[in-house]
Amino acid sequence: MAIDLQQIGKRFRFYTNIKELEMPQLLEMTGSDEAVLANIISGKNYLLDELVAILKHFHDLNPQWLIYGEGSMFKPMDENGACKDNHKGCLKKDKAAYLKQMQNMLIELDAAEVAKGHHADVDALKAKLDEYKASHPQD
């Protein structure tokens, strides 16, 4: 399976938007060079080793989804709501202000995946957003 740097960048941007992470926070969390992070986010040339070094700082992010668009964005949760790798809080508290932005990004990701012939599980993400929207009407 070929690796598409632009798709990885779009998925990583989607993830960081959901987690409400800006560049200064990403730099602090990862200890990475700003140029490397900027290249990953923009889908420009970077080494896979650089991506792997950054991924280890995001305990809830499913690398299979990020790299190939397969499976769920987040690693599976246990019965206590923690990631299976024992890190609490896989998702920051959801905020309704981001709902529309996330829906637009899902549409963009879905269109890009379809155009590339990939069949990611975007419908599951859409269903989760719809479920959140239904359960938080006043947010």
Side-chain angles (χ1 to χ4, degrees), residues 62-133:
N62 178 355
Q64 187 76 12
W65 173 82
L66 181 70
I67 295 170
Y68 300 109
E70 297 174 351
S72 174
M73 178 188 329
F74 295 102
K75 290 180 180 174
M77 307 276 267
D78 67 16
E79 60 279 353
N80 298 320
C83 293
K84 294 248 177 165
D85 62 1
N86 294 323
H87 294 289
K88 294 277 184 188
C90 290
L91 244 182
K92 269 184 143 181
K93 183 179 177 183
D94 290 323
K95 296 188 178 186
Y98 288 98
L99 187 59
K100 185 66 177 165
Q101 180 184 6
M102 294 304 106
Q103 287 174 328
N104 290 338
M105 290 183 81
L106 273 172
I107 291 167
E108 179 185 338
L109 269 175
D110 191 30
E113 293 291 327
V114 169
K116 295 278 185 186
H118 300 178
H119 300 287
D121 195 8
V122 176
D123 290 335
L125 290 172
K126 288 179 183 175
K128 286 184 180 185
L129 282 171
D130 290 340
E131 181 182 315
Y132 173 80
K133 187 176 178 181

Side-chain angles (χ1 to χ4, degrees), residues 31-87:
S32 299
D33 182 66
E34 186 171 0
V36 171
L37 276 170
N39 282 347
I40 291 171
I41 289 170
S42 64
K44 293 183 180 174
N45 244 357
Y46 56 88
L47 299 174
L48 209 46
D49 288 345
E50 294 170 328
L51 177 65
V52 170
I54 288 170
L55 285 180
K56 69 181 179 184
H57 298 283
F58 300 97
H59 305 289
D60 61 344
L61 179 58
N62 178 355
Q64 187 76 12
W65 173 82
L66 181 70
I67 295 170
Y68 300 109
E70 297 174 351
S72 174
M73 178 188 329
F74 295 102
K75 290 180 180 174
M77 307 276 267
D78 67 16
E79 60 279 353
N80 298 320
C83 293
K84 294 248 177 165
D85 62 1
N86 294 323
H87 294 289

